[in-house]
Amino acid sequence: MEQEIQDWSASRKRGSKNPRRTFPKKKKQAPYNEHVVKQELKLKHGAINVEESSLTKKLFGGSFFKDFSDSDEDNKVEKEKTQDSETSSILKPVWQDDDETEEAPESRSSINPSDAISMKEYQKRRRERNQKSALIENIPAWATVKQASETNRLSPVDSDEEDIMDAFKEMTKSTSKYVAKSQLLPKTHLNFSKLKDITIGHHGNGNLKVMKFHPHRPVLMTASYHGKIALFEVCKSLDDITLKPEENFLQEVAFDKYIISSADYYNNGNSIFIGSTRLPYFFSYDLIDGKVVQIPRPKVLPNYNYGKFAISNSGELIAFIGSSAHVYVFTLKTMEHLHTFCAAANIVDVCFSPRDDHTIYASADNGTIYVWNLSMKGDHFTFTDEGCIHPTCLSVSPNEQFLAAGSNTGIVNIYDVNSTRQSQAPKPLYTISNLTTSASFLKFNHDSQALAFGSLEKKMSARLLQTRSGTVFQNFPAKQEMFERDQITCADFSPHSGFLAFGTEAGTTRIYRLNHFDKY
């Protein structure tokens, strides 16, 4: 059977038209070895060089060949020397660390290989060593940096110019050391910061009718409509005017069923006088002893509408607004009646001159402003507030230079006091029309540079005026505050204008730090 299969396959190969083509097998190339190739090239060139040297000896003799070979060798030596000198000049180190040359890494060949460490460990040890040396002020030489004034000096000629430039740079680093701070407020933008509400936790007293800073202590007094007087500590001392971060509440006194309309300090800031338009008696609260004294109504006063009053700057006199066109003046301690001034229309607001206790300013309902003299009872003068339909509030600056009058249209006129004495229809210095509703309060700061004014009838309707230029600060209040819903009822500056506070109808306070002023 096997024989038949072999015969069939042989006949199949002979009878095939396209027999399979066969190719000679390629010889396997030996892998490339650089060392072997170099050896072969050396032998080949060596044989050639031997044949060439034998031929030159036959033609020129051995001396020529010897000289030629010697010159080649000399040239090679000279070339190697020049190359070495060039490389040595190029590779010469420019800077060398003395500390690194003192201690070589533990991984060098001079140390036992078994003690070798990694580069990370070596860097860690070096870092620890440098930190320890820095702690004991043993700073390495490479870590010290020379001052620019020492390194940048090129020549003695340039030394004077370098000294001048160094002094100029040092001076311009902080100009506040050399440029005196201006005492004047800027015209359009005020530097201020909004502070926290120091009355947090005591807002249940109703809307704030009065807010007053203490004249000698960093204390804020609030008087609410529902008969509560509360005292809060603003800062720790008069020198450190940073807002106190802890609890600010000091004390509180409540007057049962007594609706407060006015309150102010007197007796050198040791007592508070409280009045109401609804009830025929007053209260005096002693801050030192904590005593509350009820003061009956003097017989000269009418039975109602005398709760709005003004206390003189010395705290000795008080002026009550009567039920009609009368203003009653009393001594505050004894309630002795001194005089009664009468106007042609109902009195809306009244205030004493900041400089003396004898001059009284009053605003009548017909737009007339009265100026009375208590020492010379027959001496008085009047002038008309320009454009006033119905007056609402009145204020005189501490230096008695400006008089501000607000009306129900929101217009606030500011007059020069001297000009009001020369004409019965003086022109106002400035007419402020930022309010669109009735003006509710006016308050000057201690140096008469700023006037705070606002309206209760519109939310966040409070502004600040720079009296020197008659411009309203554009960035006060901040834009984000304008979306809040507080209705401002009153305002007051601290004795040196370091703080400005607003009272609201919700019983909260809005306190601002006026950074232009450095004192409380």
Side-chain angles (χ1 to χ4, degrees):
M1 186 68 181
E2 293 178 359
Q3 186 65 32
E4 290 178 359
I5 292 169
Q6 290 177 1
D7 295 339
W8 179 79
S9 62
S11 63
R12 179 76 174 168
K13 287 179 182 179
R14 287 193 301 272
S16 60
K17 294 181 180 179
N18 296 319
R20 182 179 295 176
R21 297 177 65 185
T22 58
F23 298 95
K25 291 183 179 180
K26 290 183 179 180
K27 290 182 181 181
K28 291 184 179 180
Q29 277 188 348
Y32 176 76
N33 192 332
E34 187 179 356
H35 181 68
V36 174
V37 173
K38 284 182 178 179
Q39 292 293 331
E40 290 178 356
L41 289 172
K42 242 181 204 182
L43 293 172
K44 195 179 289 184
H45 286 292
I48 294 168
N49 288 335
V50 170
E51 290 179 3
E52 288 180 354
S53 61
S54 62
L55 288 171
T56 46
K57 281 181 180 181
K58 287 180 181 179
L59 292 171
F60 303 101
S63 60
F64 177 82
F65 181 78
K66 186 175 179 180
D67 296 338
F68 183 78
S69 62
D70 290 340
S71 64
D72 288 341
E73 288 177 1
D74 293 337
N75 290 333
K76 286 182 182 178
V77 172
E78 289 177 1
K79 285 182 180 179
E80 289 176 357
K81 286 182 180 179
T82 53
Q83 288 177 357
D84 292 338
S85 63
E86 289 176 359
T87 53
S88 63
S89 63
I90 293 171
L91 299 176
K92 184 177 180 180
V94 179
W95 174 77
Q96 189 172 359
D97 191 352
D98 296 336
D99 293 333
E100 287 185 356
T101 55
E102 288 177 5
E103 290 186 13
E106 287 83 345
S107 58
R108 290 187 178 179
S109 59
S110 60
I111 299 175
N112 190 0
S114 61
D115 297 333
I117 61 172
S118 63
M119 182 57 67
K120 289 183 179 179
E121 182 65 20
Y122 170 69
Q123 291 175 352
K124 182 181 177 183
R125 292 182 184 180
R126 290 286 296 178
R127 191 178 295 109
E128 291 176 354
R129 177 181 175 277
N130 290 332
Q131 288 174 354
K132 289 179 182 178
S133 64
L135 290 174
I136 61 174
E137 298 183 354
N138 185 18
I139 303 174
W142 54 267
T144 59
V145 180
K146 293 183 178 180
Q147 297 294 329
S149 60
E150 296 178 3
T151 56
N152 293 338
R153 294 183 181 177
L154 302 177
S155 64
V157 179
D158 299 333
S159 61
D160 294 337
E161 295 180 0
E162 292 292 335
D163 290 339
I164 294 170
M165 290 302 296
D166 292 340
F168 177 75
K169 289 178 182 178
E170 191 66 28
M171 289 176 65
T172 54
K173 280 182 181 178
S174 178
T175 56
S176 61
K177 296 180 182 179
Y178 305 96
V179 180
K181 183 179 178 180
S182 175
Q183 298 298 321
L184 301 176
L185 279 173
K187 290 184 178 181
T188 56
H189 288 78
L190 181 68
N191 184 9
F192 69 94
S193 53
K194 175 78 163 54
L195 305 178
K196 70 170 186 177
D197 182 5
I198 62 175
T199 65
I200 291 176
H202 304 274
H203 293 165
N205 301 335
N207 64 329
L208 299 182
K209 297 294 291 183
V210 182
M211 175 179 289
K212 292 281 185 179
F213 283 96
H214 195 277
H216 309 298
R217 296 286 183 267
V219 174
L220 178 67
M221 180 263 290
T222 61
S224 67
Y225 179 79
H226 297 295
K228 287 186 179 181
I229 299 288
L231 299 174
F232 302 89
E233 188 177 13
V234 180
C235 50
K236 293 182 178 180
S237 65
L238 296 176
D239 298 327
D240 183 11
I241 59 172
T242 305
L243 190 70
K244 185 181 177 183
E246 300 88 8
E247 176 64 35
N248 301 91
F249 176 73
L250 294 176
Q251 56 180 313
E252 183 181 81
V253 57
F255 304 93
D256 189 28
K257 298 179 181 180
Y258 193 82
I259 298 174
I260 296 176
S261 57
S262 297
D264 202 356
Y265 296 100
Y266 76 103
N267 189 23
N268 199 26
N270 294 327
S271 303
I272 299 175
F273 192 86
I274 304 108
S276 174
T277 56
R278 303 290 182 89
L279 297 172
Y281 53 88
F282 311 101
F283 283 103
S284 176
Y285 175 50
D286 194 322
L287 297 176
I288 298 175
D289 299 333
K291 293 181 180 180
V292 177
V293 179
Q294 182 175 327
I295 302 173
R297 174 187 62 86
K299 294 181 179 180
V300 179
L301 288 176
N303 293 331
Y304 59 92
N305 197 28
Y306 50 80
K308 192 169 183 180
F309 57 81
I311 296 177
S312 65
N313 195 37
S314 65
E316 295 182 358
L317 302 181
I318 186 169
F320 293 99
I321 298 176
S323 58
S324 56
H326 296 85
V327 174
Y328 302 88
V329 183
F330 292 82
T331 59
L332 194 53
K333 290 184 178 180
T334 61
M335 279 294 165
E336 178 187 356
H337 179 234
L338 297 179
H339 191 69
T340 300
F341 293 101
C342 184
N346 290 340
I347 300 298
V348 175
D349 200 2
V350 65
C351 65
F352 279 89
S353 168
R355 291 188 170 185
D356 59 68
D357 292 352
H358 305 292
T359 305
I360 299 173
Y361 296 85
S363 179
D365 198 17
N366 60 358
T368 303
I369 295 176
Y370 290 81
V371 183
W372 291 306
N373 192 334
L374 187 60
S375 59
M376 300 175 64
K377 299 178 177 62
D379 183 16
H380 73 279
F381 63 91
T382 62
F383 66 93
T384 304
D385 184 14
E386 186 181 69
C388 178
I389 299 173
H390 177 71
T392 54
C393 49
L394 182 71
S395 182
V396 180
S397 64
N399 61 359
E400 210 170 355
Q401 179 183 358
F402 304 107
L403 184 146
S407 65
N408 63 339
T409 58
I411 299 296
V412 177
N413 287 330
I414 299 178
Y415 295 91
D416 183 4
V417 173
N418 293 329
S419 66
T420 60
R421 299 176 184 270
Q422 299 171 3
S423 172
Q424 291 187 348
K427 292 292 181 181
L429 286 175
Y430 316 114
T431 298
I432 312 303
S433 58
N434 293 75
L435 301 179
T436 57
T437 54
S438 177
S440 304
F441 59 88
L442 298 167
K443 183 65 180 180
F444 285 95
N445 77 320
H446 80 288
D447 59 359
S448 307
Q449 288 196 76
L451 170 68
F453 62 99
S455 174
L456 169 64
E457 299 178 7
K458 190 176 180 180
K459 295 169 185 175
M460 289 303 298
S461 183
R463 298 293 183 268
L464 199 60
L465 173 79
Q466 203 251 36
T467 56
R468 184 167 53 91
S469 62
T471 56
V472 176
F473 291 107
Q474 298 176 6
N475 63 330
F476 184 89
K479 288 183 179 180
Q480 59 269 22
E481 294 185 64
M482 301 305 295
F483 297 99
E484 299 183 17
R485 305 179 65 83
D486 287 337
Q487 290 178 285
I488 311 299
T489 58
C490 53
D492 193 31
F493 290 92
S494 62
H496 289 90
S497 305
F499 297 95
L500 169 62
F502 293 97
T504 68
E505 195 174 28
T508 62
T509 58
R510 304 181 69 87
I511 300 180
Y512 299 87
R513 172 72 178 92
L514 303 184
N515 299 317
H516 179 82
F517 302 99
D518 300 329
K519 296 180 180 180
Y520 164 75

